[in-house]
Amino acid sequence: MASRVFPSSLSQSKILKLWGDSSTLKGVFEAGDMSSVATKLQATLYSLENARLDVGITGDMGSGKSTFVNAIRGLGDEDPKSAYTGVVEMTVGPTPYAHPKYPNVVIWDLPGIGAPTFQAEKYLQRVLPARYDFFIIISSESFAAHHAQLARELRQCGKRFYLIRSKVDVDIAASRSRRPSTFSEERVLSQIRDDCCRQLEVGGLQDPKVFLLSMFELGKYDFHLLEEMMVKELESHKQHAFLQALPNVSKPILEKKAASLRQHIWLVAAVASGINPSPVPGVRDVACDLHMLIDSLQSYRCSFGLDKDSLVTLAGQTGQALHKILEAARGPETQVTEALVVERLGQASRDASAFTQELLNVPILGTLANCGISFATIYQMLRTSLDEAVKDAQRLLLQAFLDDSEHEFPDRSNP
């Protein structure tokens, strides 16, 4: 019987998929050598959290591609680390922009593709498509022949791509102004999408899927659908890194981030309790690497935008008073200290013994019970801390989009 606390989905086969040499790992588990187990888990955890991801962003001049490079990294156009934006094409060659919190995630601002003499084959020779995990092609108007040409060439190269029609908020505002009595946002969006797909099909691209976005209101329209597809189609070992780097602009993103982090809690707990553990002051029978746990809790806050820099940035982007943002994020407690971690470990240790007994019945992972109460206490503490961070992030999202009637992000899938 699997533990009610420990994820029952972590079956033996699923665990072994984390390593290429599953037979060696199985032997290590069954031998009960916790030091060897923790060392292998540490390497796996590092590879998951630091997987390299490169995304190429291209499109017409003025389509908003550089603004998207900034927005997908959680930055405004005036941030010192932002890509240059303007009405004149400034990108003369592929320019990498590392994510400010996750430098292993790199967004590339590629040269524009709107020239009348555009040739997709020569363009790809210039930008070196093998470098990127996938491409995003952006147009602020209806797609044309050169967009379809590039998409066809990418498909032939075996590269994934996603088509974005930007500035739909401008079209919606214009339509509402021209026809206030008969205006329908859903109808306008449907017309835009249908026209884009039709033009791409005329250009020879079969079965195009177009996502409608506003670069300045990224959480609205089709962004959650785009995010869902990008993550789903990534290699499994890169999904976690990409999810953590995405801006916290919708409830679905928060939920997916939380789910991904929950899958890794047992890894963190095993490593923290199995490598260089030291007794935790004031917490009986618990030994661990406190510095690793401090980093883990701080990483939760960074991922959900609850760190001080993110909160200050959010206040500036939304025009809200900083104290309102801080209140939504549980006040000024944005730094994780050793004292805080010790306190939470003490709270978790009260219920950890029952979990330790249940763990003995989980296939292969029963050897983790050799860590005694330490593994169970750390696991409980991490799970509780993550749940609290998710609640804070949800509350912060509501505060940030207090006046946004579209905050529930209705489904606008392609027909």
Side-chain angles (χ1 to χ4, degrees):
M1 180 181 66
S3 166
R4 58 181 172 80
V5 181
F6 200 88
S8 59
S9 60
L10 289 173
S11 62
Q12 175 176 332
S13 60
K14 186 171 183 179
I15 294 163
L16 297 181
K17 285 181 181 179
L18 292 171
W19 294 268
D21 189 358
S22 61
S23 60
T24 299
L25 177 68
K26 182 178 180 181
V28 170
F29 266 108
E30 292 179 342
D33 184 353
M34 190 55 213
S35 177
S36 297
V37 170
T39 299
K40 282 187 172 287
L41 295 179
Q42 184 182 45
T44 299
L45 184 62
Y46 180 86
S47 66
L48 288 170
E49 293 179 344
N50 295 277
R52 172 80 182 213
L53 183 70
D54 292 271
V55 181
I57 312 295
T58 189
D60 297 331
M61 180 181 67
S63 63
K65 68 181 179 68
S66 296
T67 295
F68 185 76
V69 168
N70 298 330
I72 197 71
R73 296 183 299 137
L75 302 176
D77 287 346
E78 295 183 334
D79 191 282
K81 297 179 181 179
S82 289
Y84 180 83
T85 59
V87 295
V88 178
E89 178 62 54
M90 298 296 293
T91 309
V92 296
T95 306
Y97 292 93
H99 192 284
K101 295 180 185 177
Y102 304 95
N104 52 304
V105 177
V106 181
I107 310 298
W108 293 75
D109 193 358
L110 303 182
I113 61 174
T117 57
F118 174 78
Q119 293 183 359
E121 186 175 356
K122 290 184 177 180
Y123 180 83
L124 291 181
Q125 290 174 356
R126 180 183 178 190
V127 302
L128 304 176
R131 172 189 287 157
Y132 313 102
D133 290 276
F134 60 84
F135 287 78
I136 291 177
I137 305 171
I138 303 176
S139 176
S140 59
E141 298 178 352
S142 184
F143 285 92
H146 60 284
H147 300 108
Q149 182 189 156
L150 177 58
R152 293 199 319 271
E153 195 70 27
L154 286 171
R155 183 173 284 174
Q156 187 172 341
C157 293
K159 282 293 178 180
R160 291 188 301 275
F161 60 86
Y162 304 94
L163 298 156
I164 291 179
R165 168 58 158 83
S166 64
K167 302 184 180 181
V168 295
D169 53 323
V170 176
D171 296 281
I172 288 172
S175 180
R176 181 185 287 111
S177 177
R178 291 194 303 266
R179 303 179 182 84
S181 61
T182 60
F183 170 77
S184 166
E185 180 175 306
E186 291 296 333
R187 182 168 63 246
V188 173
L189 292 173
S190 179
Q191 290 171 347
I192 294 172
R193 182 181 288 108
D194 290 346
D195 177 65
C196 288
C197 292
R198 183 166 53 251
Q199 295 301 326
L200 288 166
E201 288 172 342
V202 169
L205 183 65
Q206 296 182 352
D207 302 319
K209 185 175 181 65
V210 176
F211 299 90
L212 310 184
L213 264 63
S214 164
M215 302 308 181
F216 297 106
E217 297 177 284
L218 201 59
K220 297 178 67 174
Y221 311 113
D222 288 344
F223 183 73
H224 64 294
L225 298 174
L226 172 66
E227 166 269 324
E228 185 175 282
M229 180 166 286
M230 289 190 299
V231 172
K232 180 181 178 181
E233 294 182 346
L234 265 178
E235 293 86 346
S236 59
H237 69 284
K238 296 189 177 187
Q239 291 176 355
H240 178 75
F242 187 48
L243 268 173
Q244 301 317 306
L246 286 173
N248 299 293
V249 294
S250 72
K251 289 180 180 179
I253 289 178
L254 294 181
E255 292 166 356
K256 289 184 177 66
K257 283 189 178 189
S260 185
L261 287 166
R262 286 191 186 102
Q263 290 180 356
H264 297 159
I265 288 178
W266 71 277
L267 283 168
V268 178
V271 175
S273 61
I275 296 181
N276 300 321
S278 298
V280 178
V283 185
R284 184 179 177 183
D285 297 329
V286 174
C288 66
D289 182 346
L290 276 176
H291 294 293
M292 180 180 182
L293 297 183
I294 292 171
D295 290 344
S296 294
L297 265 61
Q298 187 62 31
S299 72
Y300 293 166
R301 299 192 69 78
C302 284
S303 181
F304 291 110
L306 300 169
D307 58 295
K308 186 175 181 180
D309 289 345
S310 295
L311 295 175
V312 171
T313 298
L314 182 62
Q317 290 175 342
T318 61
Q320 297 193 35
L322 180 58
H323 73 89
K324 291 282 190 184
I325 297 295
L326 289 174
E327 287 173 5
R330 290 276 177 97
E333 185 190 78
T334 57
Q335 292 298 319
V336 179
T337 64
E338 182 174 315
L340 176 65
V341 173
V342 170
E343 178 186 352
R344 293 193 172 189
L345 285 170
Q347 295 169 349
S349 67
R350 298 166 192 162
D351 300 321
S353 58
F355 173 70
T356 302
Q357 293 301 314
E358 293 177 1
L359 183 62
L360 293 171
N361 297 314
V362 179
I364 289 185
L365 292 182
T367 190
L368 291 173
N370 288 335
C371 290
I373 200 171
S374 294
F375 174 82
T377 299
I378 295 168
Y379 184 95
Q380 298 259 47
M381 186 276 291
L382 289 171
R383 182 61 182 258
T384 300
S385 297
L386 176 57
D387 289 345
E388 289 180 359
V390 173
K391 290 178 182 177
D392 287 349
Q394 291 172 340
R395 190 163 46 248
L396 184 62
L397 186 66
L398 290 172
Q399 176 66 37
F401 296 93
L402 207 54
D403 299 322
D404 189 349
S405 61
E406 296 293 332
H407 183 64
E408 291 303 320
F409 312 104
D411 187 6
R412 296 186 175 94
S413 306
N414 285 354

